[in-house]
Amino acid sequence: MIGKQVPGICAVLVWTILVIPAKCHTPFFIFGDSLLDAGNNLYLNGTAKITASLPYGETFFKENPTGRVCDGRIIPDFIAEYANLPLIKPYLEPGFSNYTDGVNFASAGAGILPETSPGTIYLKLQLSYFEKVTEKLKQQEGESKAAELLTNAVYLFSMGGNDYMHVAMKSTMPSLGNTNTTSQPLTSTFKKQYAITVLSNLTSVIKQVYATGGRKFLFQTVGPLGCMPSNRIGSGSKGCAHDVSVLAKMHNTALSKVLLRLQKTLPGFKHGLFDYYSALSERTNYASRFGFEEGQTACCGSGNYNGQFTCGKNGTNAYNLCSDPTKYVWFDAAHPTESANKQLSDLLWAGPLRVVGPYNAKALFDTAS
């Protein structure tokens, strides 16, 4: 029996009796902060580059740290693997210009708002890089093929945590380029208005990606910021810092509503929202249930809970380093281990509706736009 290909967004083989859909190539574009940064900050002037040194990367990348703020792989690495893609490269990597598999724009320390962490790649700057990529794809692949790739691509967003850290904590994360402090009173009115501003800026970028052809979006909620090792040291107990926890929860509740509105108003808009906050909180609070030995103290760092950002720093500031990161939920003061990222990635990829929905990552990668 002889078949032929029929042009279209996804080619199909047409036989005399049945039609067999051919799997589309699905690029993966990543917008985010240190949780998703695959090395962009290594190429920025003026940002700390501790992640270029061991022990960062040692679990998977061995003697060649890649700038990931982790002992090994991060969530986009696992999702790319599950989607049969190579590791998605950082946009700023020298010589990188083949964008057909996707691009990682994430930047450690970056916020949705430009003023959150000057010197990093804030969200609208990430968008501007994405726009350059779309033009390059059109030049390389032609208008039609580029449109096909952009429409079939999956777009992952994970940002906002640094914005709320910026206003809620007396000291933020200088090791990741964020040295700003604030004296703004955190009234309930301010918290609400600030969250609205953050989400408005995020929504604007989502709509612009949609306007370029994007239809399949993945989002992570902001994580349990108040319960990170870095913030436990200021809580006065084994509890979590209050204000930043409230802001994170406000953001996450509002984000789910924003996405449902976009689903109603943007034709063809499909999304999955991963409850990263709850998934990481559960592992932090009940580590042994998930195969970990330690959920609150970081593997690498110094001070209470190893919550100071000294991991990887040479010189006079010594730091503690655990012998086996796989037993820990947190690798450093604010970032999970590869083992925790693997569990979180599995939930994002194929978790049930109560964890990620209305689509999980697998469904979006498998679904034609």
Side-chain angles (χ1 to χ4, degrees):
M1 189 177 292
I2 298 175
K4 64 177 181 178
Q5 281 200 335
V6 176
I9 292 296
C10 293
V12 295
L13 291 175
V14 181
W15 305 89
T16 55
I17 298 177
L18 85 155
V19 177
I20 304 174
K23 185 172 178 60
C24 303
H25 181 69
T26 306
F28 189 24
F29 293 100
I30 298 149
F31 300 80
D33 52 29
S34 56
L35 295 176
L36 305 187
D37 184 358
N40 278 309
N41 276 32
L42 295 181
Y43 310 106
L44 293 178
N45 292 328
T47 59
K49 296 179 174 60
I50 58 169
T51 53
S53 304
L54 296 175
Y56 288 100
E58 66 178 4
T59 298
F60 185 78
F61 301 100
K62 306 304 179 185
E63 300 299 321
N64 299 294
T66 60
R68 289 164 171 82
V69 193
C70 181
D71 63 298
R73 288 166 290 182
I74 52 177
I75 285 176
D77 298 327
F78 289 108
I79 299 302
E81 176 187 337
Y82 301 159
N84 296 313
L85 292 168
L87 298 181
I88 305 302
K89 292 185 177 183
Y91 174 76
L92 295 181
E93 181 177 299
F96 173 40
S97 61
N98 182 358
Y99 304 133
T100 55
D101 289 323
V103 184
N104 188 321
F105 303 103
S107 173
I112 291 173
L113 305 181
E115 60 268 27
T116 290
S117 187
T120 60
I121 313 172
Y122 57 90
L123 182 56
K124 287 197 174 175
L125 184 53
Q126 293 184 30
L127 175 68
S128 73
Y129 290 160
F130 170 69
E131 290 169 343
K132 291 179 180 179
V133 166
T134 62
E135 291 305 311
K136 190 71 172 179
L137 278 173
K138 292 174 184 177
Q139 295 171 14
Q140 293 175 339
E141 306 292 333
E143 294 276 348
S144 178
K145 180 64 176 178
E148 174 185 322
L149 289 169
L150 293 168
T151 299
N152 202 51
V154 172
Y155 300 84
L156 172 62
F157 287 78
S158 179
M159 289 190 90
N162 290 320
D163 299 284
Y164 297 114
M165 288 286 293
H166 172 68
V167 298
M169 307 306 294
K170 291 180 180 178
S171 61
T172 52
M173 293 183 281
S175 64
L176 298 180
N178 191 347
T179 58
N180 296 296
T181 57
T182 179
S183 58
Q184 171 67 48
L186 293 180
T187 64
S188 59
T189 299
F190 172 80
K191 290 175 183 175
K192 181 177 180 180
Q193 290 301 318
Y194 188 78
I196 289 172
T197 300
V198 169
L199 285 162
S200 175
N201 279 266
L202 174 61
T203 303
S204 172
V205 170
I206 295 167
K207 288 181 176 178
Q208 289 178 75
V209 173
Y210 176 89
T212 68
R215 294 296 181 270
K216 299 188 291 185
F217 294 82
L218 282 171
F219 301 89
Q220 289 188 167
T221 62
V222 168
L225 304 176
C227 304
M228 300 187 303
S230 63
N231 289 341
R232 287 184 181 276
I233 62 176
S235 65
S237 69
K238 290 188 177 181
C240 305
H242 176 71
D243 283 332
V244 74
S245 297
V246 171
L247 282 163
K249 291 176 182 178
M250 287 177 62
H251 172 92
N252 294 340
T253 299
L255 175 61
S256 65
K257 295 176 182 177
V258 166
L259 295 177
L260 290 175
R261 286 198 297 270
L262 291 175
Q263 180 180 292
K264 292 178 180 178
T265 57
L266 300 179
F269 178 87
K270 299 182 179 72
H271 78 277
L273 177 61
F274 172 39
D275 188 0
Y276 183 82
Y277 184 103
S278 295
L280 187 49
S281 293
E282 289 172 353
R283 285 155 180 78
T284 299
N285 296 327
Y286 308 104
S288 61
R289 296 183 186 178
F290 300 93
F292 300 103
E293 293 183 7
E294 177 54 59
Q296 297 183 359
T297 296
C299 166
C300 186
S302 57
N304 294 333
Y305 303 101
N306 282 338
Q308 295 179 13
F309 285 92
T310 53
C311 185
K313 288 186 176 180
N314 296 319
T316 57
N317 292 326
Y319 60 87
N320 304 311
L321 178 64
C322 70
S323 59
D324 186 359
T326 65
K327 297 178 180 179
Y328 285 70
V329 174
W330 297 91
F331 181 64
D332 72 4
H335 306 92
T337 58
E338 180 184 85
S339 294
N341 281 333
K342 171 68 165 61
Q343 292 189 15
L344 296 166
S345 299
D346 289 347
L347 292 173
L348 175 57
W349 178 252
L353 191 59
R354 63 179 175 80
V355 176
V356 54
Y359 292 86
N360 57 32
K362 184 179 187 301
L364 287 179
F365 273 96
D366 289 346
T367 302
S369 294

